[in-house]
Amino acid sequence: MIEIPLYDTFSKIEPITKGMSGDKKYYIETVEGKHFLLRIADFSEYAQKEIEFEAMKHLVARGVPMPSPIDFGTCNNSKCVYTLLSWVDGVEVEAILPTLSKAEQYTLGIEAGEILRKIHTHPAPDIVDNWAERYYSVINPRLKAFRSEGIPFVGDTIILNYLESNGVLLNNRPQCHHHGDYHMGNMIHSDTGRLSIIDWHTVDFNNCGDPWYEFNRIGIEFPAFASGQIDGYFDHEIPEKFWSLLAYYLAASAITSIVWAKYFAPEGLQDILKLNTDILRWFDDLKNTVPTWYLNDFS
């Protein structure tokens, strides 16, 4: 760590244990009173971390409220790669939503949707293959695994049939840069009441693809917030196709998580199975693609 150029200015280095990232994370204070987030990863991740750092610079320039990229390079005798970011003060949105009224939740959701739309103005690289091929290369093996090793549940054939018969929805979809893990836990509510988006280090489809795919982590625990996020993203003009793709992505993500949970997170298996049955209920066995939790009486 001492090889980091600004290391001599660090007056406080505090490890951060929260989060699922493989990076080592530290809260930093400097002698000048500045606050940073330091992330350290194995050198094998250098190329990916460099791409992330450059993308963050582009997104900050586009006005996305987020940590500012400060410095990037190698340390620990070139065995590690570090990323230094500005620190964002505030509280996670998922922690404050229970304390807000539905109207306040909706307003915050609107802001989250507008920010996501701004993130999606950053284009995907020209060399990216078409979205349908990229998506199916990942999801089809997972669906095959569910058919052979998954845990059956009432309605599983409804989901599988919906995915099979609606694959055409993914054809000719535009692609853009993704946040990668856009949900309430990665949104910080500042003392001034504004949102900032953190944790730009989840690599899902190389952080680019169909912009609407990013709604697969939408927080329906708070329907007013989720509804606001959709309304804010589309400025209250929601395309009919969005609902069909939302159902597609949520259903595909849920059913393919069963085998993963079975082997890697058995303690969460019942929650995943419940999510699948919830999706069937929200979308009326996938016959009505506007989910029951969507509240349209705020607009």
Side-chain angles (χ1 to χ4, degrees):
M1 194 182 294
I2 60 174
E3 301 162 53
I4 296 172
L6 292 176
Y7 178 81
D8 288 343
T9 70
F10 294 175
S11 60
K12 182 177 183 179
I13 304 173
E14 187 175 287
I16 300 171
T17 57
K18 187 174 183 179
M20 299 180 65
S21 169
D23 294 357
K24 292 181 179 179
K25 296 180 291 185
Y26 302 89
Y27 167 71
I28 304 293
E29 290 183 8
T30 71
V31 292
E32 295 92 356
K34 295 179 180 179
H35 300 179
F36 297 129
L37 170 65
L38 175 65
R39 303 182 72 114
I40 297 180
D42 187 81
F43 182 78
S44 62
E45 298 185 45
Y46 183 93
Q48 178 59 40
K49 295 298 183 183
E50 185 176 34
I51 291 171
E52 290 172 1
F53 190 77
E54 292 302 315
M56 292 181 78
K57 290 197 290 188
H58 286 294
L59 289 161
V60 166
R62 289 173 182 267
V64 175
M66 59 185 287
S68 297
I70 305 298
D71 194 18
F72 171 83
T74 60
C75 61
N76 298 341
N77 294 318
S78 297
K79 294 177 182 177
C80 297
V81 54
Y82 73 87
T83 304
L84 191 65
L85 309 169
S86 63
W87 181 263
V88 177
D89 279 313
V91 181
E92 292 176 0
V93 166
E94 65 181 355
I96 66 163
L97 281 176
T99 71
L100 304 179
S101 68
K102 286 186 177 180
E104 291 169 328
Q105 292 175 10
Y106 180 77
T107 299
L108 210 56
I110 289 283
E111 186 177 356
E114 291 172 344
I115 293 171
L116 184 59
R117 185 174 68 216
K118 187 172 290 187
I119 292 169
H120 290 167
T121 64
H122 185 30
D126 292 336
I127 59 173
V128 170
D129 294 332
N130 79 74
W131 171 243
E133 290 181 4
R134 297 179 63 225
Y135 183 80
Y136 290 137
S137 70
V138 171
I139 212 70
N140 280 346
R142 296 179 183 177
L143 288 170
K144 183 179 180 181
F146 172 79
R147 290 186 177 97
S148 62
E149 303 177 68
I151 297 173
F153 59 92
V154 176
D156 56 3
T157 56
I158 294 174
I159 290 180
L160 292 172
N161 289 340
Y162 182 82
L163 299 178
E164 180 71 25
S165 58
N166 287 277
V168 66
L169 292 169
L170 278 68
N171 292 342
N172 303 313
R173 290 295 301 153
Q175 298 187 76
C176 66
H177 186 82
H178 283 174
H179 171 269
D181 197 17
Y182 201 78
H183 64 78
M184 299 176 292
N186 287 331
M187 301 175 189
I188 299 296
H189 189 260
S190 73
D191 294 339
T192 61
R194 304 298 294 173
L195 292 187
S196 290
I197 311 303
I198 63 169
D199 200 354
W200 294 80
H201 302 274
T202 299
V203 181
D204 191 12
F205 291 102
N206 291 321
N207 286 95
C208 63
D210 179 0
W212 297 353
Y213 173 76
E214 289 243 78
F215 283 88
N216 75 333
R217 290 171 169 84
I218 193 166
I220 51 77
E221 302 94 327
F222 300 95
F225 179 81
S227 301
Q229 184 175 323
I230 293 170
D231 288 349
Y233 185 88
F234 290 106
D235 197 19
H236 304 278
E237 298 291 337
I238 306 168
E240 188 62 34
K241 187 177 181 180
F242 168 76
W243 297 119
S244 299
L245 269 170
L246 177 65
Y248 193 101
Y249 290 138
L250 289 177
S253 176
I255 200 167
T256 56
S257 295
I258 291 174
V259 173
W260 177 85
K262 176 181 174 181
Y263 291 110
F264 299 105
E267 71 282 358
L269 183 56
Q270 291 306 312
D271 288 338
I272 296 295
L273 289 168
K274 182 180 182 299
L275 175 60
N276 279 271
T277 55
D278 283 346
I279 287 170
L280 290 166
R281 176 171 52 84
W282 297 336
F283 295 103
D284 188 19
D285 284 344
L286 295 169
K287 296 191 294 288
N288 179 8
T289 52
V290 179
T292 56
W293 47 257
Y294 175 69
L295 307 173
N296 59 10
D297 55 349
F298 284 97
S299 53

